[in-house]
Every structure is written in structure tokens, then in C-alpha cells.
């Protein structure tokens, strides 16, 4: 067993760096394991990343954050899912909700029964069975209730928040729990004989030695990529978007809807993320199909209020580092890889890395088996999310631009091709290993993008058709009724976040 750690250095103070610092300081004893975070104000952070997914609640709970305090500090709002507009074809919309569609009937999955009823025209639209989709449509929100047999128990939610405020909020907590922050630009790295990182040196001449390093240096991937030379696997052939332009604007008439909106455009897509005090907007696009000038013009002509700043351009590549943990260094956040923000998964990937690191790190820096396992699990995490994202672009009937024709006809990764083949034949859905997205997510996006199976899973025949149809009708009825009785999202924000209208 390797020696216990005495000092961990985190390079970078963006969302990833401060999430790592706060979680490590909360779990480890900072009197015996020192934690130092180095960041450079001159370099700055990416500063976007405003939409999240439900697992963030577990992360905040690990830190012991009070939800109301968190919402106030980050100017946060609730998120029940994502509305996709113009994705299947121009003029269409669908909702990818958190939570579940209906409930499984014992061993018979909900989707099997729904697909069978859909094929004979006896099912309501899919969204009618989702409390999150129904509540989002009505602008309503509440936290889930504990009782099992009630649609309100199936509310799943996450947050929209100001990423810079979230990093600041976590910084305050982390410093309180013993993390030392060091301002300054790292200009060189000292390596041991075996190539492990021994110390980082700052522009000021200061040297910081440690036995473990967490690279949260952003797209540059300073330690893992530049110093340790771990190559980048480029996934641009499937996810060609490589630019974004972002601008916040004043809240418009639609106000603080409890969901993210993603609107497909000719060569990319646009996000709308309502916070308490503004709306975050951005256009993600492929530079070989759209110029920066055209992207900026398109974005500015499709925002609901006055811009609150100059548009900011960001460049990225879809893909991941071949390994996430190399020697005594783990990369988190953009330093480990990037998948475009279509399903708001980046902050989750940071969290997933931290959770796994915490399982292995306290042993004393990780054994070779730990490192192999970490790299394997994180690779699967990235790849299953990648395939889910590809689905949105590939399963479309849009053919109005070269961009959409290219994506619609591209060859997809084998695992996704297999999943589509199984689903098209039988409607069967499954969750691969520990993958993030549930059957609810796959069903919402597959159906929403216009892919429906030819048949249904025969397990549905375990329930007589008339009984199944009656049960489906009852679920849709109680779901609609429960959503209509929920408080408004505005009321939730007033009560939970003490927000002034
Ligand atoms: C267009 C876009 C939209 C996004 N939207 C979402 C979203 O809705 N939801 C979501 O979950 N995620 C989203 N993300 C991803 C999210 O922004 C990032 O995952 C998150 O901000 C984490 O960034 P980071 O901390 O890894 O890197 P950064 O924010 O880039 O931070 C890097 C840090 O490293 C420091 N640093 C770098 N080099 C040095 C050096 N040599 N010396 C000292 N310090 C150094 C910098 O000063 C900085 O503090 C989005 C990303 C993009 C590009």
C-alpha cells in the first residue's frame, strides 16, 4: 500500500477546481492532508456552465449545502428538464424531463405498456405521463414529496445557476474547511524520475510541492495533457460543433421558466437558461458550417431582452483524454475532456470524477488497479453520454442545411447503432452499466426525435390490454391533475430563495 497523502495540489479555480477543493476538504481531514488550490486571475475561467442535472443534489448534499442558501448565493432557479425545439424537424417540439414517465407495473416496464398502446392509438402523448413535463409546461414547481404512489413523488429536478457565483460560493466553503488558495500563474513543473509530478512553480518564483495533483486547468489540460503527454481522443466526426458564442440578456415576457430550452438552428443550436436576475443565452455551432459573425448575428437576433454585456466566443473540441488519471495526477472538468452542453453534463462529469476519486484517493494516492478502474469507469461515463448526445443530432428528419444532412447520414458509434437496432425492433430500452441517462431520458429523446419502434416488448402482454389502457389513462389523469395543483415556480423562488419578484 502506498504512503498516506500529505499534500494535494489542485491546479485551477474554475467550477471544477472549486468543486474538487470543497468536496476533498469536506471529506478529508485537512489537518493531516493539506489542500492547496492554485489559480490565476490573469488567465480567468470559462465562466459558462449554467444548467445542471439532478445528481448535483447529491453533490450539494455531500457538502452539506442548504438549498435555499445555495439558490440565493447563485441566483439559481429550478430545472425540470429541457425543451427541444425544431430538432426533429422545424416546427416541432418535445420535452426531455427529469424524473420518470409513469411507473413500472411490477416487472413490466412502463414503456413496454405505453408502446403497445401507442401502436393501436390507445396511448396519450408521452409527456402526459411525466409530472416534470406537465409542470414545466404550466410553469410550476415544487420539491418532490416522500409518498410513493403519487406523481409528486416522481419529481426530479436540478438547477440553473450563475457558474461564477457557484464557484465563489464553493470557494468560500472550501477555504472555511481548510483549503489554502494560492494566486499565480504556474509556469513550470518539476517531475520525479518516474515522471510523476513533484512540484509546480509559479511566475513569482514560489514552488509548491505535493504528492498528488488534480488538474483543473481547463481546456489547456496543463498537467495531464501538456506535461504528462496524455493524448486527446477527438470525437469531432460525430460531434462537429466546436464554437459557442454566449451572451446574457434581461428577462423577457417568458420569465423564469423552470426548464432549459434548446432550439436547433441551421448549423448548431441555441440555449436559453433563465436565472433569477437574467437569461443565459448561447449558440453552439460548427465552424466549418457557420462563421463567427453569422453566429453572433443569429444569437443577438434571437434573444428576448436587452443584452447584458458583449457576446463572448469560446472554442472547444469534443472528446476526452485517453486517460484521466496518469501517475499522481487526475484531471477533472475541461482538462479531462469536453462534451458540448446539450444535455448539461459537464458539471456532472466533474462530480462523477470527484466521487470516484474519493473512493480511491484516501488509500494513499491510488494503486495501479485503482487507476485502471478509474480510467475505465470514466471512459464509459464519457462514452455513454457521447452516444446520447449523438442521438439528438443523428435522429432527425431535418435536411435543410449541409450541417443537418451530414449529421443525419453519418455512421454512429457501434454501441449506439446496436441500441438503435434493438429499440427499433422491440422498443426495448436498457441502462448500460452505470450510465448516467435513464430509460426515461432515452425514451423521451428517441420518441421526441421521431424514432419509434416497429413492435413492442412482448413483456407488455403480461398485462391484459384493457387493464393496461385503464391504468395508463389513470396515470395521465392524476399526473395532469397533480401538476395543475403545484405552486408556481415564482412562488417556489419567493419562498425557497427569498427572491423579490
Ligand atoms: C459553451 C459552453 C457552455 C457550457 N454550458 C454548460 C452547462 O450548461 N452545464 C454544464 O454542466 N457545463 C457547461 N459547460 C462546461 C462548464 O463550463 C465547465 O465544465 C466548467 O466551467 C468547468 O470548467 P473548468 O473548471 O474545468 O475550467 P475553467 O473554468 O477554464 O478553469 C480553469 C482554471 O485553471 C486556471 N489555470 C489554467 N492554467 C493555469 C496556470 N498555468 N496557472 C494557474 N492557473 C491556471 C485558470 O485560472 C482557471 O482558474 C459549458 C462549457 C462551454 C464551453
Amino acid at each position: 500500500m502506498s504512503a498516506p497523502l500529505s499534500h494535494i495540489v489542485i491546479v485551477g479555480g474554475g467550477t471544477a477546481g472549486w468543486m474538487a477543493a470543497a468536496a476533498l476538504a469536506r471529506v478529508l481531514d485537512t489537518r493531516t492532508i493539506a489542500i492547496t488550490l492554485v489559480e490565476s486571475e490573469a488567465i480567468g475561467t470559462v465562466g459558462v456552465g449554467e444548467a445542471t442535472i439532478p445528481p448535483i443534489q447529491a453533490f450539494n448534499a455531500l457538502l452539506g449545502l442548504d438549498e435555499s442558501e445555495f439558490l440565493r448565493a447563485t441566483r439559481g432557479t429550478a430545472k425540470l428538464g429541457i425543451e427541444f425545439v425544431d430538432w426533429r424537424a422545424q416546427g416541432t417540439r418535445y420535452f426531455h424531463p427529469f424524473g420518470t414517465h409513469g411507473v413500472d407495473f411490477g416487472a413490466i416496464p412502463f414503456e413496454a405498456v405505453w408502446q403497445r398502446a401507442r401502436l393501436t392509438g390507445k396511448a396519450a402523448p408521452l409527456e402526459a405521463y411525466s409530472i416534470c413535463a406537465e409542470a414545466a409546461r404550466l410553469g410550476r414547481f415544487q420539491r418532490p414529496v416522500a409518498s410513493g404512489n403519487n406523481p409528486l413523488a416522481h419529481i426530479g429536478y436540478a438547477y440553473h445557476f450563475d457558474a461564477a457565483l457557484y464557484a465563489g460560493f464553493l470557494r468560500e466553503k472550501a477555504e472555511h474547511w481548510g483549503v489554502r488558495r494560492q494566486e499565480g500563474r504556474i509556469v513550470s513543473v518539476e517531475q520525479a524520475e518516474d515522471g510523476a509530478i513533484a512540484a509546480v512553480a509559479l511566475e513569482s518564483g514560489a514552488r509548491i510541492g505535493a504528492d498528488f495533483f488534480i488538474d483543473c486547468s481547463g481546456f489547456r489540460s496543463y498537467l495531464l495533457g501538456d506535461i504528462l503527454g496524455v493524448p486527446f481522443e477527438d470525437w469531432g466526426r460525430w460531434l462537429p460543433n466546436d464554437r459557442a458564442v454566449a451572451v446574457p440578456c434581461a428577462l423577457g415576457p417568458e420569465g423564469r421558466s423552470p426548464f432549459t430550452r434548446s432550439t436547433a438552428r441551421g448549423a448548431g443550436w441555441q440555449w436559453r437558461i433563465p436565472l433569477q436576475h437574467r437569461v443565459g443565452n448561447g449558440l453552439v455551432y460548427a465552424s466549418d458550417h457557420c462563421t463567427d459573425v453569422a453566429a453572433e448575428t443569429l444569437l443577438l437576433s434571437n434573444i428576448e431582452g436587452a443584452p447584458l454585456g458583449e457576446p463572448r466566443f469560446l472554442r472547444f473540441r469534443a472528446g476526452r483524454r485517453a486517460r484521466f488519471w496518469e501517475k499522481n495526477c487526475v484531471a477533472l472538468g475541461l482538462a479531462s475532456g469536453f462534451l458540448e452542453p446539450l444535455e448539461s453534463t459537464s458539471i456532472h462529469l466533474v462530480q462523477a470524477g470527484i466521487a470516484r476519486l474519493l473512493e480511491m484517493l484516501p488509500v494513499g494516492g491510488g494503486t495501479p488497479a485503482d487507476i485502471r478502474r478509474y480510467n475505465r469507469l470514466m471512459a464509459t461515463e464519457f462514452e455513454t453520454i457521447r452516444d446520447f448526445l449523438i442521438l439528438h443530432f443523428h435522429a432527425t428528419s431535418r435536411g435543410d442545411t449541409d450541417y443537418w444532412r451530414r449529421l443525419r447520414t453519418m455512421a454512429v458509434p457501434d454501441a449506439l447503432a446496436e441500441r438503435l437496432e434493438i429499440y427499433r425492433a422491440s422498443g426495448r430500452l436498457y441502462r448500460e452499466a452505470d450510465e448516467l441517462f435513464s430509460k426515461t431520458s432515452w425514451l423521451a429523446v428517441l420518441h421526441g426525435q421521431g424514432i419509434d419502434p416497429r413492435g413492442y416488448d412482448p413483456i407488455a402482454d403480461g398485462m391484459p390490454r384493457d387493464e393496461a389502457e385503464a391504468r395508463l389513462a389513470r396515470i395521465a389523469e392524476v399526473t395532469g391533475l397533480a401538476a395543475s395543483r403545484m405552486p408556481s415556480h415564482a412562488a417556489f423562488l419567493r419562498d425557497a430563495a427569498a427572491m423579490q419578484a
Side-chain angles (χ1 to χ4, degrees):
M1 197 162 80
S2 39
L5 296 176
S6 61
H7 189 187
I8 299 172
V9 164
I10 299 169
V11 172
T15 313
W18 284 113
M19 283 176 74
L24 291 181
R26 182 72 177 174
V27 174
L28 305 180
D29 181 350
T30 54
R31 289 165 307 183
T32 52
I33 305 181
I35 302 172
T36 304
L37 183 145
V38 187
E39 67 176 318
S40 160
E41 271 168 23
I43 296 175
T45 64
V46 160
V48 281
E50 306 190 317
T52 58
I53 52 177
I56 194 166
Q57 287 178 34
F59 183 77
N60 285 354
L62 170 83
L63 301 187
L65 303 183
D66 172 74
E67 188 179 62
S68 296
E69 184 196 355
F70 154 79
L71 287 170
R72 280 196 301 276
T74 62
R75 312 301 303 270
T77 57
K79 172 180 170 187
L80 290 163
I82 306 178
E83 183 185 44
F84 286 91
V85 176
D86 293 343
W87 277 84
R88 184 174 83 228
Q90 279 160 304
T92 62
R93 67 157 293 286
Y94 71 93
F95 198 78
H96 169 193
F98 300 139
T100 61
H101 292 114
V103 282
D104 289 342
F105 307 99
I108 304 179
F110 167 83
E111 67 273 10
V113 170
W114 178 75
Q115 293 287 13
R116 186 180 64 173
R118 184 189 62 77
L119 285 165
T120 52
K122 298 279 177 50
L126 185 59
E127 288 169 20
Y129 303 97
S130 158
I131 185 73
C132 291
E134 287 293 286
R137 189 172 54 80
L138 298 170
R140 295 180 186 267
F141 181 75
Q142 72 171 66
R143 296 182 178 107
V145 299
S147 116
N149 193 19
N150 177 344
L152 299 177
H154 300 286
I155 295 172
Y157 72 102
Y159 313 101
H160 303 125
F161 56 59
D162 182 317
L165 293 178
Y166 186 54
F169 184 59
L170 294 181
R171 172 180 166 181
E172 205 177 286
K173 301 281 176 196
E175 288 187 311
H176 177 69
W177 293 328
V179 173
R180 192 175 72 90
R181 176 185 179 275
Q182 171 77 51
E183 169 61 34
R185 182 193 289 260
I186 298 169
V187 287
S188 64
V189 170
E190 220 175 85
Q191 286 174 276
E193 262 178 30
D194 66 353
I197 295 171
V200 291
L202 306 191
E203 216 164 22
S204 64
R207 173 191 181 279
I208 308 173
D211 33 28
F212 199 84
F213 291 81
I214 303 185
D215 183 357
C216 299
S217 63
F219 285 126
R220 167 132 186 227
S221 193
Y222 182 59
L223 298 183
L224 190 79
D226 285 5
I227 303 295
L228 296 175
V230 175
F232 185 80
E233 261 180 35
D234 195 315
W235 290 341
R237 63 189 177 286
W238 296 304
L239 296 170
N241 292 336
D242 58 357
R243 301 271 167 96
V245 52
V247 73
C249 76
L251 281 153
E254 190 177 349
R256 303 171 191 94
S257 41
F259 57 90
T260 301
R261 178 172 297 123
S262 165
T263 305
R265 302 285 183 211
W269 60 277
Q270 182 175 338
W271 77 74
R272 173 188 189 270
I273 300 178
L275 308 186
Q276 289 181 29
H277 57 310
R278 61 170 169 79
V279 176
N281 308 281
L283 185 81
V284 176
Y285 57 100
S287 60
D288 50 358
H289 290 267
C290 179
T291 64
D292 292 347
V293 173
E296 180 178 348
T297 308
L298 184 64
L299 177 66
L300 291 175
S301 55
N302 283 292
I303 57 176
E304 66 202 66
L308 302 173
E310 287 300 311
R312 275 188 61 206
F313 286 89
L314 299 124
R315 290 174 177 222
F316 50 82
R317 275 189 301 164
R320 68 169 177 95
R321 292 284 152 186
R323 294 174 299 285
F324 305 93
W325 186 336
E326 179 86 341
K327 302 190 184 293
N328 62 340
C329 174
V330 161
L332 295 171
L334 303 174
S336 67
F338 183 63
L339 288 163
E340 60 169 87
L342 184 60
E343 285 283 355
S344 325
T345 45
S346 288
I347 290 173
H348 169 77
L349 283 166
V350 174
Q351 170 185 349
I354 293 171
R356 296 203 167 111
L357 193 55
L358 282 173
E359 285 172 11
M360 303 171 191
L361 194 57
V363 174
T367 64
D370 282 326
I371 296 174
R372 280 197 305 277
R373 179 164 175 266
Y374 182 92
N375 285 330
R376 189 177 66 242
L377 294 175
M378 289 306 292
T380 304
E381 187 98 53
F382 264 81
E383 279 157 25
T384 48
I385 294 174
R386 175 200 67 192
D387 287 1
F388 188 58
L389 297 187
I390 294 172
L391 173 68
H392 298 64
F393 294 99
H394 179 62
T396 177
S397 49
R398 279 191 74 144
D400 50 305
T401 59
D402 284 348
Y403 174 87
W404 288 108
R405 285 189 289 274
R406 166 183 171 187
L407 290 167
R408 200 176 66 178
T409 53
M410 72 180 160
V412 299
D414 291 348
L416 177 59
E418 180 185 88
R419 211 190 267 264
L420 288 172
E421 197 182 319
I422 293 172
Y423 178 75
R424 281 198 169 102
S426 65
R428 269 195 209 113
L429 293 165
Y430 52 88
R431 200 169 188 168
E432 195 71 81
D434 271 349
E435 84 171 292
L436 170 64
F437 287 105
S438 65
K439 294 194 298 176
T440 300
S441 294
W442 281 94
L443 180 61
V445 175
L446 282 160
H447 179 65
Q449 294 285 148
I451 302 202
D452 288 313
R454 295 184 293 276
Y456 62 87
D457 185 344
I459 199 167
D461 291 336
M463 188 187 291
R465 283 181 183 265
D466 49 355
E467 181 190 338
E469 283 156 19
R471 287 220 204 175
L472 286 174
R474 178 83 188 125
I475 293 173
E477 187 193 344
V478 296
T479 301
L481 199 62
S484 70
R485 289 182 180 162
M486 279 167 65
S488 68
H489 183 220
F492 168 77
L493 291 175
R494 235 180 3 252
D495 296 348
M499 196 198 74
Q500 313 295 320

